[in-house]
């Protein structure tokens, strides 16, 4: 999706039809679904939120579904045939206006499972769909997801200290927010699971939105998260590079030079912040790959190498055994 305003394309597609509910059309046989919240999620206002799924693909063998209307945030659990005890919370992107479920969700779960890693795809709430405190809604879901995975670690077959987060584009911003703001109180605890630590053991941010204040920010993601004309203080408070501290977990950053939507300056800014804080960080900027490439690039494209780099990074920081 090089240089394309995916949010505008979504609005056009979603206007065509209301498609089947997620529980019927989005998940596959054998998927385990975990509801994030025992009741109404934080910030419920009674707004009518209708689930819609728009498939951008013309090939049924490779769906590319975009999801909106997330009134019920869930974790979709994809287990490997031979689990190694590691887990990865997967955060699809979509500019905080939709969720790229296949390209940045199910496709990622497939390669993670092939490496023995249990994948937890988070279908998080979208801030512009009628929630109070819209700017905190995605982070509320991400924190809660990490805590639930740890609370249910035994039944899910993962070790509590082997759980990372993997995010793409705006989902990369959310993954970075979780990595740097895991201890920040953004919702009132609802049960015993909320006593668990929300800090991921590693974080991988793929073509991430990082700053919401710098000239290179992705304006669409910023406005969908904060609302238009958000004050400078709000933009800076949610710029990931400004939130790095001594508790930030090891970060892997991946970008392409020819990304026409979210410039690699985002990853560079976060890399510099991690260096300044003396935190473990790796940065890979490829010559080509564009934006939104997921794991579907041909091997001739340099950015196609990133899953192997993440595997080595995870092994180097003890998440998996190489």
């Amino acid at each position: 999706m090089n240089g394309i305003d995916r949010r505008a394309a979504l609005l056009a597609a979603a206007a065509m039809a209301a498609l089947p509910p997620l529980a019927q059309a989005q998940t596959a046989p054998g998927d385990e679904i975990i509801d994030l919240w025992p009741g109404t999620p934080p910030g419920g206002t009674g707004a009518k939120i209708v689930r819609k799924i728009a498939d951008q693909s013309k090939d049924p063998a490779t769906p590319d579904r975009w999801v909106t209307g997330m009134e019920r945030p869930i974790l979709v659990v994809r287990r490997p045939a031979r689990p190694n005890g590691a887990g990865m919370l997967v955060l699809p992107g979509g500019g905080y206006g939709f969720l790229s479920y296949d390209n940045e969700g199910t496709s990622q779960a497939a390669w993670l499972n092939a490496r023995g890693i249990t994948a937890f795809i988070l279908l998080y709430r979208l801030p512009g769909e009628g929630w109070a405190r819209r700017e905190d809604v995605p982070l509320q879901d991400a924190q809660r997801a990490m805590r639930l995975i740890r609370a249910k670690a035994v039944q899910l077959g993962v070790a509590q200290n082997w759980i990372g987060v993997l995010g793409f584009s705006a989902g990369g911003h959310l993954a970075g927010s979780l990595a740097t703001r895991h201890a920040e109180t953004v919702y009132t605890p609802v049960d015993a699971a909320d006593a668990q630590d929300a800090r991921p053991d590693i974080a991988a941010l793929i073509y991430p939105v990082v700053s919401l204040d710098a000239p290179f920010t992705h304006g669409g993601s910023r406005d969908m998260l904060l609302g238009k004309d958000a004050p400078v203080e709000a933009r800076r408070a949610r710029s990931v590079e400004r939130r790095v501290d001594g508790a930030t977990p090891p970060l892997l950053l991946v970008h392409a030079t020819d990304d026409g939507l979210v410039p690699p300056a985002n990853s560079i800014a976060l890399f510099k912040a991690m260096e300044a804080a003396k935190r473990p960080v790796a940065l890979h900027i490829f010559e080509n790959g564009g934006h939104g490439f997921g794991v579907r690039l041909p091997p001739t494209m340099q950015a196609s190498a990133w899953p192997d780099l993440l595997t080595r990074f995870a092994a180097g920081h003890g998440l998996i055994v190489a």
Side-chain angles (χ1 to χ4, degrees):
M1 288 288 169
N2 291 359
I4 296 176
D5 186 339
R6 302 198 301 178
R7 181 162 59 89
L10 169 70
L11 294 175
M16 295 175 63
L19 298 175
L22 180 71
Q24 299 174 17
Q26 193 76 0
T27 54
D31 277 349
E32 298 170 60
I33 306 300
I34 299 176
D35 278 302
L36 232 56
W37 304 97
T40 301
T45 63
K48 185 178 180 181
I49 301 173
V50 179
R51 183 72 46 80
K52 294 180 181 178
I53 303 169
D55 194 345
Q56 312 305 304
S57 175
K58 297 180 180 177
D59 181 359
T62 56
D64 185 14
R65 291 165 290 181
W66 291 356
V67 183
T68 58
M70 286 308 306
E71 85 296 345
R72 173 193 165 208
I74 60 173
L75 281 169
V76 179
V77 185
R78 294 284 178 96
R79 297 186 188 239
R82 296 179 177 83
N84 58 19
M88 192 70 75
L89 177 62
V90 180
L91 307 179
Y96 284 125
F98 67 96
L99 299 173
S100 181
Y101 181 63
D102 290 305
N103 185 44
E104 294 165 352
T106 61
S107 295
Q108 311 308 321
W111 76 263
L112 289 166
N113 286 172
R115 289 160 173 82
I117 301 170
T118 303
F120 303 92
I121 307 169
L122 176 59
L123 293 171
Y124 53 90
R125 289 172 294 150
L126 301 168
E129 293 190 332
W131 303 97
R133 290 174 54 196
R134 63 184 290 163
E135 65 276 7
D136 290 331
V137 162
L139 184 56
Q140 290 169 350
D141 289 351
Q143 285 188 357
R144 173 71 177 172
M146 187 62 72
R147 290 172 175 140
L148 275 179
I149 294 168
R150 286 203 166 104
K152 298 175 179 288
V154 173
Q155 68 189 76
L156 293 169
V158 297
Q160 286 189 328
N161 60 341
W162 288 4
I163 305 170
V165 65
L166 169 62
F168 300 83
S169 195
H173 179 270
L174 180 54
S177 298
L178 181 64
T180 56
R181 300 171 57 202
H182 49 85
E184 182 178 331
T185 301
V186 292
Y187 67 89
T188 302
V190 296
D191 57 27
D194 286 322
Q196 296 287 337
D197 192 351
R199 179 184 183 272
D201 294 296
I202 66 167
L205 282 55
I206 315 302
Y207 41 86
V209 176
V210 169
S211 180
L212 300 186
D213 187 50
F216 51 78
T217 190
H218 180 242
S221 296
R222 178 198 61 215
D223 292 348
M224 289 302 292
L225 180 64
L226 304 179
K228 291 187 177 181
D229 302 317
V232 171
E233 295 78 10
R235 298 198 303 266
R236 290 179 176 173
R238 290 164 182 82
S239 292
V240 179
E241 80 281 9
R242 292 177 175 269
R243 305 305 299 269
V244 172
D245 61 19
T248 302
L251 294 187
L252 174 75
L253 301 163
V254 172
H255 236 108
T257 301
D258 62 349
D259 189 329
L261 192 62
V262 179
N266 283 270
S267 285
I268 293 170
L270 186 49
F271 175 79
K272 289 180 177 178
M274 289 289 285
E275 271 199 319
K278 302 188 184 325
R279 300 302 299 151
V281 62
L283 170 63
H284 300 279
I285 299 182
F286 297 97
E287 182 181 0
N288 51 46
H291 187 80
F293 47 77
V295 288
R296 296 180 175 180
L297 287 175
T300 53
M301 299 285 281
Q302 295 174 22
S304 66
W306 75 264
D308 287 334
L309 295 173
L310 173 52
T311 302
R312 293 174 197 150
F313 183 82
H317 289 282
L319 193 80
I320 60 174
V321 177

